[in-house]
Amino acid sequence: MQRWINAKDRTLAELYTYILIVYELYESGEITKHDYERVKRMYLYDTQTYCEMYENVTASPKLFIFCGEGERAVDVLNDLIAAGAINIYEYNTLKQRHQL
């Protein structure tokens, strides 16, 4: 059970970190708001995207694609809200949905 929780947390941390990276691209003007919103929707709410990332995380438990070692999903979620990448409704919904 503990391994699943760690894999779930790492998967969410990876997804949230990727959103933060894309948000920074939007803020710097490298991508449009529409492109950012599309990525955000896909990485926050698309179960297929989550499942693919989960498979990557469980296949390579020591490999960190986007987030740093030891990053927890709730920490990256807090970074998202602090940066303005998500709104308070999304923050509360994600925190409750994933029991963070």
Side-chain angles (χ1 to χ4, degrees):
M1 182 69 175
Q2 185 66 25
R3 180 182 163 115
W4 182 82
I5 292 170
N6 290 335
K8 176 187 172 191
D9 193 68
R10 277 207 38 232
T11 301
L12 292 172
E14 292 282 351
L15 292 172
Y16 297 161
T17 302
Y18 184 73
I19 294 167
L20 193 55
I21 292 167
V22 174
Y23 180 73
E24 290 171 0
L25 291 173
Y26 160 65
E27 284 288 297
S28 69
E30 294 185 43
I31 64 171
T32 66
K33 181 173 180 140
H34 174 74
D35 290 337
Y36 166 68
E37 291 293 334
R38 183 179 52 81
V39 169
K40 182 173 84 167
R41 271 191 317 275
M42 182 173 49
Y43 275 74
L44 289 182
Y45 304 113
D46 183 30
T47 56
Q48 183 176 353
T49 302
Y50 174 86
C51 290
E52 289 172 4
M53 184 64 75
Y54 184 84
E55 288 175 14
N56 290 334
V57 164
T58 55
S60 302
K62 301 227 183 239
L63 177 66
F64 294 90
I65 301 167
F66 301 114
C67 71
E69 186 175 353
E71 287 274 5
R72 294 181 18 220
V74 70
D75 297 332
V76 183
L77 188 61
N78 289 335
D79 292 343
L80 283 172
I81 191 74
I86 60 173
N87 61 43
I88 194 72
Y89 176 78
E90 291 168 322
Y91 174 83
N92 289 333
T93 301
L94 292 167
K95 198 167 181 178
Q96 183 178 17
R97 175 185 299 155
H98 298 294
Q99 300 172 350
L100 302 175

